[in-house]
Amino acid sequence: MVEIPSEAEVLAQLPAARERERVAAETEPRAASARYDRRSGRIVIELTSGCMFAFPAEYGQGLRGASAEQLSSVEVVSGGSLLIWDELDAALSVPGLLAGEFGTRSWMRELGRAGGKIRSEAKARASRENGKKGGRPRKVRPEPAPLAKETVDAEKKRRVA
């Protein structure tokens, strides 16, 4: 059973929590604003540092298939550390996005699988060229490095003894 802290315990923890938030605000990337760019289909984030970051809306967990109007309703909350879309019930961490994390681990695996299924003329051409060469080369296991003479001699002495 989870114990609910008293009001006094919560108030006692506030200074430490505020200090953690202050440190995070100084060290973690934070969003000053965010918007959906209809022309490119990307979510564009302007950071408090003045840098900008954009990613395809389809990459964000909970954003795939959303309308332009729904995507445009993005809000920056939690001191710039979170983007939310209330209507879509979606939220993405700004530090996570900048680290290339567009959702949960299972979502990221799904994105990776989808990326591997993309067909292009360049992939088809590379596949044909590899096929002409006999296909994908087999993995070659490296030979173990030869032992130094001193090591071999010591091993022989140990076996005799």
Side-chain angles (χ1 to χ4, degrees):
M1 186 166 166
V2 176
E3 226 180 283
I4 299 173
S6 69
E7 186 176 340
E9 290 171 320
V10 171
L11 291 174
Q13 294 174 8
L14 278 177
R18 286 187 178 124
E19 178 60 16
R20 285 192 303 274
E21 173 57 26
R22 185 191 66 73
V23 169
E26 290 176 1
T27 58
E28 292 179 359
R30 299 296 175 122
S33 65
R35 64 182 171 81
Y36 173 64
D37 181 15
R38 293 171 190 252
R39 200 168 31 118
S40 68
R42 297 176 183 270
I43 304 297
V44 180
I45 306 167
E46 184 170 349
L47 302 173
T48 55
S49 66
C51 295
M52 293 185 86
F53 175 75
F55 66 94
E58 294 292 311
Y59 283 10
Q61 186 171 0
L63 305 182
R64 184 174 287 165
S67 70
E69 291 76 29
Q70 290 172 317
L71 293 169
S72 295
S73 69
V74 60
E75 293 179 56
V76 177
V77 297
S78 295
S81 65
L82 198 63
L83 304 181
I84 63 166
W85 290 263
D86 279 335
E87 186 179 337
L88 298 171
D89 195 27
L92 298 172
S93 155
V94 172
L97 289 168
L98 293 175
E101 299 166 1
F102 300 100
T104 62
R105 286 183 183 178
S106 60
W107 176 257
M108 294 301 293
R109 277 194 301 274
E110 181 61 33
L111 278 181
R113 271 195 294 277
K117 293 178 184 176
I118 292 175
R119 296 172 188 231
S120 70
E121 182 53 38
K123 283 177 79 171
R125 189 173 36 256
S127 179
R128 285 191 295 272
E129 289 302 315
N130 278 338
K132 290 177 187 176
K133 298 175 187 174
R136 181 178 292 206
R138 295 189 186 278
K139 290 185 179 178
V140 179
R141 297 194 185 267
E143 290 291 323
L147 295 175
K149 184 178 180 336
E150 300 82 30
T151 307
V152 172
D153 291 343
E155 183 63 23
K156 285 180 184 176
K157 287 180 185 176
R158 186 185 68 76
R159 287 185 184 166
V160 172

